[in-house]
Amino acid sequence: MDTSGNGVGDLRGITTKLDYLQKLGITAIWLSPVYQSPMDDNGYDISDYEAIADVFGTMADMDELLEEANRRGIKIIMDLVVNHTSDEHAWFIEARENPDSPERDYYIWRNEPNNLISIFSGSAWELDEASGQYYLHLFSKKQPDLNWENAQLRQKIYDMMNFWIAKGIGGFRMDVIDLIGKIPDLEITGNGPRLHEYLKEMNQATFGKHDLMTVGETWGATPEIARQYSCPKNQELSMVFQFEHVGLQHQPDAPKWDYAKELDVPALKRIFSKWQTELKLGEGWNSLFWNNHDLPRVLSIWGNDGYYREKSAKALAILLHLMRGTPYIYQGEEIGMTNYPFKDLTEVNDIESLNYAKEAMEAGVSEKTIVDSIRKVGRDNARTPMQWSEGKNAGFSVAAKTWLPVNPNYQEINVEKTLANPDSIFYTYQRLIALRQTEDWLVEADYQLLETAEKVFAYKRQLGKAIYLIVVNISDEEQTFSRALENAEIIIANTDVEAIIASQRLQPWDAFCVKLTKA
């Protein structure tokens, strides 16, 4: 929500919408970075960790948000970006201007580049003309990587974290945290040998002394690695984001832009079931998510954002939220927002998408193919303005032009309309959140995948004699489902469960959870 009229959402905008979020039932907000930044990568390039970017407001606005959120039982989770800074951070400016300064060693410099590639394409090394050395940047060249081997740098980071903890935040989401243990000379980036040593030290120096939540973005995690991060006795993090299921969005062993034409449902079942069974209770903790700021809208890539938009959105919610783990709802997911229908590259803002377009064009790929890929999996899909109403700019801003264009479907899909419909997607999410806060079985029950038709995802959770059955048809087609469900207690559904019991058939995107009286 934009309260300043500049076309960009801001901190006061979040504060004005806290009552809406309280109605949804959430207990924490993870903010993407709001620190001072040149915005080369939408704030993930930080120039001052202890200041707020002017475009988002002031530190007074942040203090007000913390106070008002806490008053409603909602915690603010800060996005902690400590793999790299902006090249406009005071540390890097000093490192560049004075190669003999202590800050020089806060970053990673080499006389010659090796073969490391930037995640944003091209070499991960950039020549600093003045000193004749190259610095490492695993992302944009305006995002130089920090040297975590430097103990003085680590202490500076811990001091900064304690600054925010003292302000009353609820914890940290740790951006690409699995990269901080990198050994560039060996071309090791993720899961380096000192990674867990650094996390233990961070825990002891900062959040470990407080009742805070921490979640690490860990792209390369396996259940075994996730246990290292999140087993309570290891004293590292509360939980992880792992992305194995996200890999199904693209062709096997291909870059993200070579997107898969449809979801491989059997593979999704295998991946989710592996994480549900191998990351055991008490040994570690997982996050549950479909969407985030880096991913396309799940409704458009794996659901049906046309005729079955509402029903498929509810089905995907029910499937995910009744597993073990902490669920995350991305802004607009709870009202069924969809991907943006990009017409051409002039509508694209994201640096990753623009770098891909430039490289692909140089390689002879047609603009149509490039825009098709960005339209399907580009990061801007998740970032278009939140759709609050049928008013100008979907009620997001009074500005003549918003920072990204508003999805043209906002008159049909918006909060105002959703709240007025008691059968809307919003109220399914509200019910799921309420279940999470009252039902112990969602945390403690065992998980078992059931044999079904290929496009049906069915699993049961069992705690003692209580058995909960979750069934979802992940398709636009009718599917068979035969199981004795008589006398079952309906917990949540997006369909007529009695009709399923009678017909032994699932209609497109049918989803339900029932408590069984017998196994």
Side-chain angles (χ1 to χ4, degrees), residues 416-431:
E416 224 167 60
K417 213 165 190 174
T418 298
L419 292 179
N421 173 12
D423 193 38
S424 69
I425 301 162
F426 176 92
Y427 294 108
T428 294
Y429 273 96
Q430 187 190 59
R431 174 76 180 125

Side-chain angles (χ1 to χ4, degrees), residues 116 148 174 290 438:
L116 281 175
W148 270 75
M174 300 186 176
W290 290 123
T438 56

Side-chain angles (χ1 to χ4, degrees), residues 319-506:
L319 174 66
L320 190 76
H321 281 241
L322 300 182
M323 293 185 185
R324 181 188 289 146
T326 295
Y328 289 71
I329 301 168
Y330 185 71
Q331 64 166 33
E333 181 182 338
E334 79 283 6
I335 64 168
M337 281 177 62
T338 63
N339 275 3
Y340 184 87
F342 295 98
K343 293 190 286 290
D344 55 47
L345 291 173
T346 64
E347 293 186 308
V348 177
N349 170 279
D350 173 39
I351 185 173
E352 183 189 46
S353 297
L354 293 171
N355 284 353
Y356 154 69
K358 181 173 179 288
E359 283 199 350
M361 280 180 169
E362 288 169 356
V365 180
S366 73
E367 183 170 344
K368 179 186 181 304
T369 300
I370 292 166
V371 174
D372 281 349
S373 291
I374 292 171
R375 193 184 298 121
K376 195 72 175 179
V377 294
R379 300 196 301 180
D380 281 339
N381 281 304
R383 302 175 180 185
T384 58
M386 180 68 184
Q387 292 160 215
W388 294 107
S389 72
E390 294 180 24
K392 179 182 177 181
N393 295 326
F396 170 79
S397 174
V398 298
K401 187 179 181 186
T402 54
W403 80 282
L404 280 179
V406 175
N407 196 309
N409 63 18
Y410 74 91
Q411 290 183 317
E412 182 59 33
I413 304 170
N414 61 67
V415 167
E416 224 167 60
K417 213 165 190 174
T418 298
L419 292 179
N421 173 12
D423 193 38
S424 69
I425 301 162
F426 176 92
Y427 294 108
T428 294
Y429 273 96
Q430 187 190 59
R431 174 76 180 125
L432 287 164
I433 292 167
L435 285 170
R436 302 284 322 187
Q437 292 169 1
T438 56
E439 297 292 322
D440 290 344
W441 67 268
L442 285 163
V443 174
E444 297 171 10
D446 291 336
Y447 169 100
Q448 183 187 341
L449 181 69
L450 302 177
E451 284 290 323
T452 57
E454 183 182 289
K455 296 290 180 74
V456 176
F457 196 148
Y459 61 92
K460 70 178 184 180
R461 305 283 309 273
Q462 183 163 356
L463 182 62
K465 292 182 179 177
I467 297 171
Y468 298 84
L469 174 69
I470 296 92
V471 180
V472 181
N473 176 5
I474 310 184
S475 78
D476 293 343
E477 293 81 41
E478 189 180 82
Q479 305 285 346
T480 57
F481 182 77
S482 54
R483 192 175 181 92
L485 299 177
E486 288 76 13
N487 303 317
E489 177 192 342
I490 299 169
I491 305 297
I492 191 168
N494 70 351
T495 187
D496 181 351
V497 178
E498 299 298 332
I500 295 170
I501 293 170
S503 68
Q504 307 271 288
R505 311 284 294 175
L506 294 168

Side-chain angles (χ1 to χ4, degrees), residues 161-179:
M161 292 171 68
N162 285 325
F163 166 84
W164 285 105
I165 290 168
K167 276 194 169 289
I169 65 163
F172 297 100
R173 176 266 184 185
M174 300 186 176
D175 185 62
V176 295
I177 199 66
D178 55 347
L179 300 181

Side-chain angles (χ1 to χ4, degrees), residues 176-381:
V176 295
I177 199 66
D178 55 347
L179 300 181
I180 64 170
K182 68 183 81 66
I183 304 182
D185 298 333
L186 299 179
E187 297 186 14
I188 294 171
T189 53
N191 297 306
R194 294 188 67 188
L195 171 62
H196 295 282
E197 172 195 332
Y198 296 150
L199 288 175
K200 284 179 171 62
E201 180 183 83
M202 178 192 287
N203 179 305
Q204 289 166 13
T206 61
F207 53 80
K209 306 165 188 172
H210 307 272
D211 181 18
L212 299 176
M213 191 213 84
T214 53
V215 55
E217 181 190 28
T218 58
W219 279 84
T222 61
E224 183 183 4
I225 292 170
R227 277 193 288 276
Q228 287 180 271
Y229 286 113
S230 62
C231 182
K233 70 173 189 287
N234 286 359
Q235 295 188 309
E236 294 185 20
L237 307 178
S238 310
M239 67 188 83
V240 298
F241 283 123
Q242 56 77 26
F243 296 83
E244 194 171 354
H245 64 296
V246 172
L248 299 177
Q249 293 183 356
H250 51 73
Q251 305 278 4
D253 303 317
K256 70 180 276 182
W257 307 106
D258 295 337
Y259 62 86
K261 299 299 182 272
E262 63 176 337
L263 171 61
D264 182 343
V265 177
L268 184 74
K269 294 186 212 180
R270 283 195 303 273
I271 291 167
F272 274 153
S273 298
K274 176 175 82 175
W275 282 90
Q276 288 294 299
T277 55
E278 293 186 20
L279 195 59
K280 297 188 187 306
L281 186 63
E283 293 182 3
W285 196 251
N286 196 13
S287 301
L288 304 171
F289 69 97
W290 290 123
N291 300 282
N292 68 26
H293 61 292
D294 284 333
L295 301 175
R297 296 272 177 186
V298 73
L299 201 47
S300 294
I301 193 161
W302 286 345
N304 178 323
D305 62 7
Y307 183 75
Y308 292 114
R309 182 184 69 87
E310 294 216 8
K311 195 174 183 187
S312 66
K314 293 175 186 177
L316 290 166
I318 290 168
L319 174 66
L320 190 76
H321 281 241
L322 300 182
M323 293 185 185
R324 181 188 289 146
T326 295
Y328 289 71
I329 301 168
Y330 185 71
Q331 64 166 33
E333 181 182 338
E334 79 283 6
I335 64 168
M337 281 177 62
T338 63
N339 275 3
Y340 184 87
F342 295 98
K343 293 190 286 290
D344 55 47
L345 291 173
T346 64
E347 293 186 308
V348 177
N349 170 279
D350 173 39
I351 185 173
E352 183 189 46
S353 297
L354 293 171
N355 284 353
Y356 154 69
K358 181 173 179 288
E359 283 199 350
M361 280 180 169
E362 288 169 356
V365 180
S366 73
E367 183 170 344
K368 179 186 181 304
T369 300
I370 292 166
V371 174
D372 281 349
S373 291
I374 292 171
R375 193 184 298 121
K376 195 72 175 179
V377 294
R379 300 196 301 180
D380 281 339
N381 281 304

